[in-house]
Amino acid sequence: MTPRPTIIDCDPGTDDAIALWLAFASPELDVRLVTVVGGNVGLDRTLTNARAIVGLSGKPVPVVGGADRALLGPFADAAYVHGDNGLGGLELPEGPPAAPGLAVDALRAALRAAEPASVTLVGLGPATNLGLLLASEPALAAKLSEIVLMTGALAEGNVTPSAEFNAWNDPEALSIVLGCGAPVTLATLDVTNQALCTPSHIAALRAAGQGACARAAAAIWDSVPPSRRADGLGHEQHDACAIMWLVAPQLFTGRAVHAAMDLGPGPGRGRTVIDRWGRTRQPHNARFLETLDPAGFFDLLIRRLARLP
Ligand code: BDR
Ligand code: CA
């Protein structure tokens, strides 16, 4: 098996932290670059957190900071879920310094140097860095084998009734990414809500892993308030679903769809309009993940986290 060259854009974020550690623990992926966007908390904290998460894993992966706000429109954080520091109050040791430059320039350099259709790009936050890249040099889409995004919702959102957090925070950028021509896979709330982390999963992680990353992951899981949408039974591992799709696609089902953004100013702003039945007669531009095997997901996630230092 040849590991997939992978770039991850993220806004850590409690569930981003788990997703990054899953990626670092997975031999299926060769993570070459982590770029960071403001999102769950401000860019100053998401960048600090990304550096610390990478540092704890011991992986020599460059981390580069990027956009601190959306291309257009309002920007709202999610400190009410992720805590003021973005990691549920957990203080990790300081990570290695950020690499110089801006995320969009680091992404551009990495893709210019890559073979056609050779790089997997994962987006775990607002799509601003990715939208800037693909709007300013659209030809770079040809270097991507797949774009996997945790974003959007077919059913209800989690910021507004229409919009999921990442989509809401930069719908214009997400629209650019959806239209770029590279194959897109969408891990929307519809599938990520199925990855519900409960107290039994936290206990299983504590039993499985004694390394610093596993212990930090368990502390992060403990810190996240239970989700009202899940009747308080646990909280969702949204971002890890995007990584898990690349690591263990057999845990998912999905279908080809056309996906477009609602960019209007009204109550639908930020909604991902997902055409499952071909009603718009638009060509497919995305794979929409529909179901997840939650037992298989948590079994593998916990085993992988337990491998880390
Ligand atoms: C998404 O929003 C953020 O709060 C999470 O990190 C995830 O990327 C879920 O809606
Ligand atoms: Ca995120």
Side-chain angles (χ1 to χ4, degrees):
M1 175 197 64
T2 310
R4 295 171 75 138
T6 302
I7 297 174
I8 302 176
D9 186 70
C10 57
D11 64 330
T14 53
D15 62 326
D16 301 72
I18 305 298
L20 286 165
W21 283 324
L22 172 62
F24 295 142
S26 293
E28 296 84 356
L29 303 183
D30 172 11
V31 183
R32 297 188 173 178
L33 173 66
V34 170
T35 56
V36 185
V37 65
N40 285 315
V41 285
L43 179 68
D44 55 336
R45 274 309 318 189
T46 57
L47 183 55
T48 302
N49 292 345
R51 291 169 37 231
I53 292 159
V54 170
L56 209 63
S57 77
K59 302 286 178 189
V61 180
V63 179
V64 187
D68 66 355
R69 68 197 70 183
L71 297 180
L72 298 170
F75 178 87
D77 70 28
Y80 53 93
V81 175
H82 301 267
D84 288 340
N85 80 344
L87 293 179
L90 182 71
E91 291 295 346
L92 296 177
E94 175 96 17
L102 283 173
V104 65
D105 298 320
L107 290 162
R108 189 187 317 284
L111 294 186
R112 280 183 178 171
E115 297 296 320
S118 64
V119 177
T120 299
L121 181 58
V122 181
L124 305 179
T128 318
N129 290 334
L130 311 184
L132 283 167
L133 173 80
L134 292 164
S136 58
E137 195 166 342
L140 291 178
K143 300 297 183 78
L144 299 170
S145 56
E146 185 173 358
I147 301 174
V148 186
L149 302 174
M150 189 289 122
T151 196
L154 171 72
E156 65 178 349
N158 58 357
V159 172
T160 73
S162 305
E164 178 278 336
F165 178 83
N166 292 334
W168 165 254
N169 261 321
D170 204 333
E172 281 77 16
L174 180 52
S175 181
I176 292 165
V177 177
L178 289 173
C180 79
V184 174
T185 297
L186 292 174
T188 66
L189 292 181
D190 310 282
V191 77
T192 67
N193 286 342
Q194 298 168 45
L196 192 71
C197 178
T198 64
S200 67
H201 296 124
I202 305 175
L205 176 57
R206 287 217 160 88
Q210 300 308 315
C213 293
R215 284 188 284 115
I220 285 172
W221 277 356
D222 265 337
S223 76
V224 181
S227 168
R228 283 195 297 158
R229 284 175 295 120
D231 294 328
L233 296 175
H235 68 276
E236 301 86 357
Q237 290 306 292
H238 302 291
D239 289 341
C241 287
I243 302 293
M244 194 64 90
W245 161 252
L246 296 169
V247 168
Q250 70 278 8
L251 297 176
F252 297 82
T253 65
R255 69 170 74 191
V257 297
H258 183 264
M261 294 309 298
D262 186 332
L263 301 176
R269 179 171 171 79
R271 177 168 176 235
T272 45
V273 182
I274 294 169
D275 181 7
R276 290 175 71 228
W277 302 107
R279 290 187 172 117
T280 58
R281 301 189 186 281
Q282 297 289 316
H284 296 151
N285 63 344
R287 179 196 282 118
F288 170 63
L289 300 181
E290 293 188 307
T291 69
L292 168 71
D293 166 3
F297 173 92
F298 279 103
D299 176 61
L300 187 55
L301 175 60
I302 289 168
R303 281 192 286 120
R304 292 285 168 95
L305 293 175
R307 277 185 185 184
L308 287 167

